[in-house]
Amino acid sequence: DYATTGKYYNYTYVDRKSEGDFKGTMGKGFERFRREVKRAAQFDSFLYVVIEESLENVIKHNYKSIFHKTSLPYLWHNMRKITHEFKDHCQFIFSGSREASEDLIPRLLYFGKDMWEVDIQYFIDKKI
């Protein structure tokens, strides 16, 4: 979804997802997404996947859903699979809201490679 250009280009990309998009990507769209992350790794790039919801709310919304429940263990398995296979090229971040994502994404792109090894979720959870 997002990257910088010109002199600010730093091989860092951000894929912003709503809760529903995230569930679809880690479910039926998993293999297509895996290929996307693999391409980023082949170009020595980094992909942040910013989910516009908190992890707690993803779980809560799933259990409150009357019409369509997602197999969360399956989603977590696929997410772990990506993060293990592409540990140096992909990170999932649950921002908590669209507004938080709008604040976070430009920062991720600006700092680029300097942030690739930082556990961004840790700082969001600690509200640092």
Side-chain angles (χ1 to χ4, degrees):
D1 291 334
Y2 304 97
T4 55
T5 59
K7 70 178 186 175
Y8 297 105
Y9 178 70
N10 55 27
Y11 300 92
T12 303
Y13 300 88
V14 176
D15 190 359
R16 181 175 53 88
K17 297 201 174 290
S18 67
E19 179 179 344
D21 290 339
F22 167 69
K23 288 177 176 179
T25 298
M26 290 296 104
K28 291 180 181 177
F30 178 72
E31 284 305 322
R32 182 202 56 77
F33 182 73
R34 187 183 165 280
R35 289 189 300 271
E36 186 178 320
V37 178
K38 186 175 184 176
R39 276 194 305 277
Q42 288 170 338
F43 290 107
D44 196 27
S45 297
F46 197 92
L47 177 65
Y48 289 103
V49 182
V50 177
I51 300 100
E52 296 182 328
E53 193 56 82
S54 69
L55 182 60
E56 294 79 14
N57 281 344
V58 169
I59 294 167
K60 182 170 62 173
H61 295 159
N62 195 62
Y63 290 114
K64 285 185 173 182
S65 175
I66 297 171
F67 301 108
H68 179 68
K69 291 190 187 309
T70 302
S71 172
L72 292 179
Y74 179 71
L75 299 185
W76 306 149
H77 167 78
N78 286 343
M79 193 170 86
R80 272 192 315 274
K81 192 172 181 179
I82 292 285
T83 56
H84 286 238
E85 184 175 359
F86 303 105
K87 65 180 174 62
D88 295 326
H89 300 281
C90 185
Q91 184 177 153
F92 290 86
I93 303 169
F94 292 85
S95 71
S97 69
R98 183 179 187 99
E99 294 77 21
S101 295
E102 290 171 352
D103 181 58
L104 176 64
I105 289 169
R107 295 168 193 263
L108 295 172
L109 293 172
Y110 177 79
F111 289 105
K113 287 184 177 186
D114 293 336
M115 301 296 286
W116 288 6
E117 295 181 19
V118 175
D119 181 355
I120 304 299
Q121 192 68 57
Y122 172 82
F123 292 101
I124 290 172
D125 293 346
K126 295 293 183 183
K127 298 180 184 357
I128 296 175

